[in-house]
Amino acid sequence: MADPRGFLKVRERQTQPRRPVPVRIMDFKEVYERQEKGVLKEQAGRCMDCGIPFCHQGCPLGNLIPEWNDLTWRDKGQEAIERLHATNNFPEFTGRLCPAPCEASCVLGINQPAVTIKQVEVSIIDQAFDENWVVPHAPERLTDKTIAVVGSGPAGLAVAQQLTRAGHTVAVYERDDKIGGLLRYGIPDFKMEKDQIDRRLDQMRAEGTRFRTGVEVGKDISWEQLRRRYDAVVVATGATVPRDLPIPGRELSGVHFAMDYLVQSNRAVAGEKVKNQIHAEGKHVVILGGGDTGADCIGTAHRHQAASVTTLAIGQQPPAERAAHQPWPMYPTLFEVASAHEEGGERTYLASTVEFVGENGKLTGVKVAETEFVDGKRLPKAGTERIIPADLVFLSLGFTGPEPAGLAEQVNAEFDERTNVKRDGYYMTNTPGVFAAGDAGRGQSLIVWAIAEGRACAAAVDKWLEGSTRLPAPVAPTDRAIAPL
């Protein structure tokens, strides 16, 4: 364990410093700066000898959090990254992007601010890359089995790395021109710069994973062709179909899905020329939806120097503290202030969007009304309508599931009632040899769940091909620990 009295001596929770708002909105570089080493050790030392570390329960990956907190406190960075990599392929992603359900389960959080687990995690991996401790782990022997992984987001990359290390020949197919999925084109650089992806891909290539970009499976090559060419196929395409809002005025120019805006911005930041880019400079921006994707739009619009940014949420503002129905160690729904919210803009709750208004086919405003609850339904309250000026509206309302892309027709894949790819308790679809992992089978979820499912799916694929596996399987599609493989 870390300092036995650390949580008594250091009661203040101190997270990573953020660059000043006036400075950071002038570029797309990461908002967070590295924590001073002495402060980091103090924060890691707050991890207490709690007996039963509930942070394990909160983390789908089963990260060995008390162990690497202790090693960080003892200044044993190389041992810390070994323990971290034992359960997490990509801590540089989760340490920046995960909402940290582990911290909501921290035992110290019962009566003090929780340990800064996420901060310690990202500090460990950043030091590991700095010190060249992240090296390829090529398999000791190769099998004669081949696997195609379709999709290069966190689930697909986790599947690929695990199966490559098991000795199989793995090819990752990605329809975009670069590997990374939404990590590459959906997450703004101010949350994670893309060199974090590139240096991990260098490791994977050195281990033997092969990458095929610019190939859309289902169109450029059929799923059936993949099945004939490979011993197993893993669907890791994510849940990328956005939820629409079919209200009057939806056809007006200026109403866009949030991801269309973010993808174009990320491409431009990467130095690509984006034709007819959606740009918020000097415009009044309204964002529908208060989640992470909405916050990403807020930060991007500020960096585009928007005239104003307003976020509308149909529901009530979450509480600042745990509600009674979400006691510790549950993950609570709380009012949070992300880095993007610090940068400005207005957040309005209980706002029902009634209509998009415009002139000559161009958006000029959004008609909203107060939300009222009738028989459990959220409805616009008559007589409370008003119009908010808007030149751009971004729909950030979540996702409805994966794009079918020929799955149903070409491999007879079934979909569940939530339009996700249906699979059994070992990630296999109804078609033998075709597996599904991550958001494609689970639905829209957290990056930590994507990696956990990728690791578990890899174990299931390895067992199906070889009869047994040594790969860890942290979770099953049912959210329970997977049965022994």
Side-chain angles (χ1 to χ4, degrees):
M1 63 170 294
D3 185 350
R5 299 181 60 82
F7 69 99
L8 296 174
K9 294 186 294 186
V10 182
R11 300 180 68 87
E12 180 185 1
R13 172 185 165 95
Q14 193 168 341
T15 57
Q16 289 169 280
R18 301 175 181 179
R19 293 194 293 143
V21 170
V23 175
R24 72 191 194 216
I25 63 172
M26 301 301 294
D27 58 47
F28 277 84
K29 295 180 180 179
E30 285 190 16
V31 167
Y32 288 94
E33 298 176 327
R34 293 197 181 186
Q35 184 61 277
E36 192 272 322
K37 188 173 182 180
V39 175
L40 180 69
K41 290 181 65 175
E42 283 187 344
Q43 292 298 308
R46 294 180 69 235
C47 184
M48 57 193 294
D49 186 10
C50 56
I52 299 177
F54 275 78
C55 54
H56 288 186
Q57 176 269 339
C59 178
L61 283 164
N63 280 335
L64 305 172
I65 295 164
E67 296 186 27
W68 40 258
N69 273 331
D70 173 58
L71 292 166
T72 298
W73 180 69
R74 296 177 186 278
D75 202 17
K76 296 184 177 181
Q78 193 162 8
E79 293 181 38
I81 189 58
E82 290 175 359
R83 301 310 293 148
L84 183 50
H85 270 153
T87 56
N88 187 352
N89 296 68
F90 314 121
E92 65 275 23
F93 303 160
T94 54
R96 287 173 168 82
L97 305 176
C98 181
C102 54
E103 294 185 8
S105 299
C106 175
V107 174
L108 185 58
I110 295 175
N111 62 358
Q112 283 191 39
V115 174
T116 57
I117 298 171
K118 181 177 173 181
Q119 173 183 257
V120 176
E121 176 183 18
V122 75
S123 298
I124 292 171
I125 183 59
D126 284 347
Q127 182 188 14
F129 274 117
D130 291 344
E131 301 290 345
N132 295 318
W133 295 335
V134 181
V135 296
H137 295 280
E140 295 181 359
R141 64 177 183 85
L142 294 177
T143 70
D144 60 352
K145 302 299 192 300
T146 59
I147 299 115
V149 177
V150 183
S152 66
L157 292 179
V159 170
Q161 186 166 63
Q162 292 295 96
L163 288 173
T164 296
R165 290 176 174 180
H168 305 302
T169 300
V170 182
V172 178
Y173 286 82
E174 171 56 57
R175 65 181 177 182
D176 284 326
D177 57 333
K178 294 181 180 179
I179 294 295
L182 291 184
L183 292 172
R184 173 80 61 181
Y185 291 122
I187 302 296
D189 283 48
F190 58 79
K191 289 178 67 174
M192 186 182 74
E193 295 180 34
K194 303 313 177 237
D195 61 343
Q196 303 294 338
I197 305 172
D198 295 333
R199 60 188 183 182
R200 183 61 73 173
L201 294 178
D202 289 342
Q203 181 201 36
M204 294 181 66
R205 289 189 180 97
E207 291 171 347
T209 302
R210 304 173 183 183
F211 296 100
R212 307 281 187 264
T213 57
V215 181
E216 185 169 359
V217 178
K219 293 184 179 180
D220 300 325
I221 182 175
S222 71
W223 291 95
E224 185 55 38
Q225 286 176 305
L226 282 188
R227 285 192 65 210
R228 292 198 299 266
R229 184 178 300 180
Y230 293 90
D231 295 302
V233 175
V234 178
V235 182
T237 52
T240 56
V241 179
R243 181 173 285 107
D244 207 344
L245 185 63
I247 60 175
R250 173 63 180 87
E251 76 287 350
L252 291 171
S253 173
V255 183
H256 305 276
F257 288 117
M259 201 52 64
D260 293 341
Y261 176 55
L262 295 175
V263 168
Q264 289 188 4
S265 176
N266 283 339
R267 288 186 177 278
V269 170
E272 300 180 30
K273 293 183 179 180
V274 180
K275 188 177 180 180
N276 299 321
Q277 181 185 354
I278 305 167
H279 205 285
E281 183 178 4
K283 296 181 179 180
H284 296 288
V285 175
V286 174
I287 299 162
L288 304 186
D292 288 340
T293 303
D296 293 345
C297 290
I298 294 172
T300 302
H302 284 141
R303 284 157 180 76
H304 284 172
Q305 299 181 355
S308 69
V309 182
T310 303
T311 302
L312 303 179
I314 193 172
Q316 296 178 339
Q317 179 175 322
E321 298 181 355
R322 284 182 182 272
H325 67 283
Q326 293 177 326
W328 177 90
M330 293 177 63
Y331 186 73
T333 301
L334 299 174
F335 179 75
E336 297 181 351
V337 179
S339 64
H341 298 130
E342 294 177 338
E343 297 163 1
E346 181 181 344
R347 303 168 75 178
T348 303
Y349 290 87
L350 291 177
S352 294
T353 305
V354 177
E355 180 182 356
F356 301 121
V357 297
E359 296 177 358
N360 301 319
K362 188 176 181 180
L363 179 75
T364 60
V366 179
K367 181 183 288 187
V368 300
E370 293 180 13
T371 303
E372 64 177 350
F373 295 83
V374 180
D375 297 329
K377 296 181 180 180
R378 298 179 295 190
L379 301 173
K381 185 177 180 179
T384 64
E385 296 86 354
R386 62 188 177 98
I387 294 178
I388 299 175
D391 303 301
L392 287 173
V393 166
F394 299 128
L395 304 180
S396 177
L397 306 173
F399 301 86
T400 61
E403 299 174 33
L407 273 170
E409 301 84 0
Q410 297 172 18
V411 294
N412 197 35
E414 296 180 355
F415 294 81
D416 62 22
E417 64 279 1
R418 298 172 57 213
T419 71
N420 301 317
V421 179
K422 193 173 183 179
R423 64 255 176 101
D424 64 16
Y426 294 94
Y427 296 89
M428 191 183 292
T429 69
N430 58 296
T431 301
V434 178
F435 298 77
D439 289 2
R442 180 184 183 82
Q444 181 187 3
S445 189
L446 306 179
I447 183 173
V448 68
W449 273 111
I451 297 172
E453 285 215 359
R455 289 171 63 86
C457 180
V461 173
D462 188 39
K463 181 178 185 295
W464 186 75
L465 292 173
E466 298 292 297
S468 63
T469 184
R470 292 183 177 181
L471 294 175
V475 294
T478 57
D479 295 359
R480 297 187 296 269
I482 198 166
L485 288 170

